[in-house]
Amino acid sequence: MNILDKIVADKRKEVDLKKSILSISYHEASALFKRSTISLAKALKTSDTGIISEFKRRSPSKESINQNANVGQVAKGYEKAGACGMSVLTDIKYFGGSLEDLILARASVQLPLLRKEFIISEYQIIEAKAFGADVILLIAAILTKQEIKKFSELAKSLGLEVLLEVHNEEELHKSIMPSLDMLGVNNRNLKNFEVSLNTSKTLSQLIPDDFVKVSESGISSIDAIKELRPFGYEGFLIGEKFMKTNDPGKSAQTFIKNLKTQ
C-alpha cells in the first residue's frame, strides 16, 4: 500500500467518525455557510504573478516544515505580500493541519481560500463551505469520473470553485468536465514523491483553454515560473519554500516582489 492509499484509507475512517458526531445540517447552520465566496480563478486570471501561497506544518515526505507557525499571522503576511490566494492543509494525521486552521485564516484575511484536503465524501465539501473555504481541491488519483462529477457539481451549487488535480494523462482525460474551474498539475508523484516540472509541461498541451491552469509542487524559484508560463500556466502553488522560513509572509513578499521585476 503506497502513501496515497494509506491516507485515503485513514480519511474514510475519519469522515465516518465525523459524520456520526456532526450532521450535515449542523454544518449548514454555520454562520459562514451563507457567505458569498471569493473567486480564485478570477484572481489568477487578472494577476501578473499568479502565486497561491500555502500553509502547511508538515508532510509525509518532510516530517516537519514549520510546526510553530501561526496560521492567522501567516495568512496576513501572504495577503500583504500580494498572493492571489491561500491554500490551507486541513489533514491532521499526515500534514498537521485542521479545519480550525481554515477558519482562523478566514477570520484573518479576504484572500480566496482553498481547502487542501483528500476529499472522498460530499460531507467534506459541506464542511469546506461551513469553515470559510472559497475553493475545494479534488484529486483525480483517488476519485472516479462519477465522483469528480458529483463532487464538483455539489461544490458549484454551494458557490465553491473547484481545482482538480492530476498527475498524468489518464487522470486528465477522465477529469475534464464543465463543473471545474481550474486544472492543477501536481509535479510531485504522490506514490514516490519524485518531482519534475516536465509533468506540467507535458500535460499543459492537453488541458483545454477554458480552464485556468495551475502548476503545483516543486516550484521554488522564479526561473521555474518563467519556464512554465509559456505553457499557459496562470497559477503557481508554493508552500514549502515559504513555510520553511521563520516568516513565511515576508518570504512570499520578497519572492513576489522579485517576480514582478523579472
Side-chain angles (χ1 to χ4, degrees):
M1 185 183 279
N2 62 49
I3 187 65
L4 191 56
D5 293 334
K6 287 179 185 174
I7 291 172
V8 171
D10 284 333
K11 192 58 60 179
R12 293 194 190 284
K13 293 175 190 171
E14 179 190 313
V15 171
D16 285 343
L17 181 61
K18 282 183 172 183
K19 284 161 82 171
S20 71
I21 298 168
L22 296 175
S23 66
I24 282 177
S25 58
Y26 171 85
H27 290 304
E28 288 175 337
S30 155
L32 289 173
F33 198 78
K34 293 180 177 61
R35 69 175 276 272
S36 297
T37 50
I38 310 161
S39 173
L40 176 60
K42 185 178 178 183
L44 293 175
K45 283 178 185 175
T46 56
S47 169
D48 54 357
T49 62
I51 303 299
I52 305 166
S53 301
E54 188 159 83
F55 182 87
K56 66 176 174 181
R57 294 185 175 84
R58 58 185 171 89
S59 72
S61 60
K62 295 271 175 68
E63 285 193 10
S64 179
I65 297 169
N66 193 332
Q67 298 282 15
N68 301 316
N70 178 299
V71 66
Q73 288 175 359
V74 172
K76 286 175 181 175
Y78 284 163
E79 186 172 55
K80 184 180 177 184
C84 293
M86 179 176 175
S87 166
V88 182
L89 266 295
T90 60
D91 175 78
I92 300 170
K93 183 171 182 178
Y94 296 91
F95 290 87
S98 69
L99 278 165
E100 186 179 29
D101 285 338
L102 181 62
I103 206 165
L104 288 172
R106 176 76 291 145
S108 304
V109 294
Q110 288 300 308
L111 283 174
L113 297 182
L114 163 69
R115 181 189 185 187
K116 198 169 188 192
E117 179 58 271
F118 298 84
I119 289 179
I120 43 86
S121 166
E122 292 174 297
Y123 182 86
Q124 293 162 288
I125 300 170
I126 303 289
E127 262 185 344
K129 177 70 171 170
F131 279 79
D134 301 287
V135 191
I136 60 159
L137 176 75
L138 295 180
I139 302 172
I142 63 174
L143 300 171
T144 64
K145 183 172 184 174
Q146 291 70 31
E147 286 173 327
I148 293 169
K149 185 175 188 294
K150 181 171 70 171
F151 294 167
S152 57
E153 287 179 352
L154 171 61
K156 299 302 286 181
S157 74
L158 297 174
L160 295 167
E161 288 186 332
V162 181
L163 170 62
L164 190 285
E165 175 180 298
V166 298
H167 299 82
N168 55 45
E169 190 172 335
E170 182 188 354
E171 291 173 7
L172 180 58
H173 284 315
K174 78 172 181 183
S175 305
I176 293 173
M177 55 188 74
S179 44
L180 309 176
D181 301 281
M182 293 159 278
L183 269 163
V185 178
N186 194 334
N187 301 305
R188 176 175 284 115
N189 184 319
L190 290 183
K191 294 176 181 176
N192 60 22
F193 292 108
E194 289 177 1
V195 175
S196 172
L197 292 185
N198 286 330
T199 308
S200 280
K201 292 177 184 178
T202 305
L203 294 182
S204 69
Q205 301 155 43
L206 305 172
I207 301 174
D209 292 334
D210 317 35
F211 304 106
V212 176
K213 296 180 192 177
V214 178
S215 186
E216 310 169 25
S217 298
I219 301 168
S220 58
S221 69
I222 288 169
D223 284 343
I225 291 175
K226 288 166 72 176
E227 207 177 313
L228 290 169
R229 275 183 173 158
F231 291 87
Y233 287 94
E234 295 177 285
F236 307 93
L237 184 66
I238 302 178
E240 208 168 291
K241 178 177 177 64
F242 302 148
M243 286 302 300
K244 67 185 180 183
T245 66
N246 290 330
D247 189 339
K250 191 69 183 291
S251 300
Q253 189 171 19
T254 301
F255 186 90
I256 291 170
K257 184 180 178 182
N258 291 338
L259 178 59
K260 284 181 175 180
T261 62
Q262 293 289 313

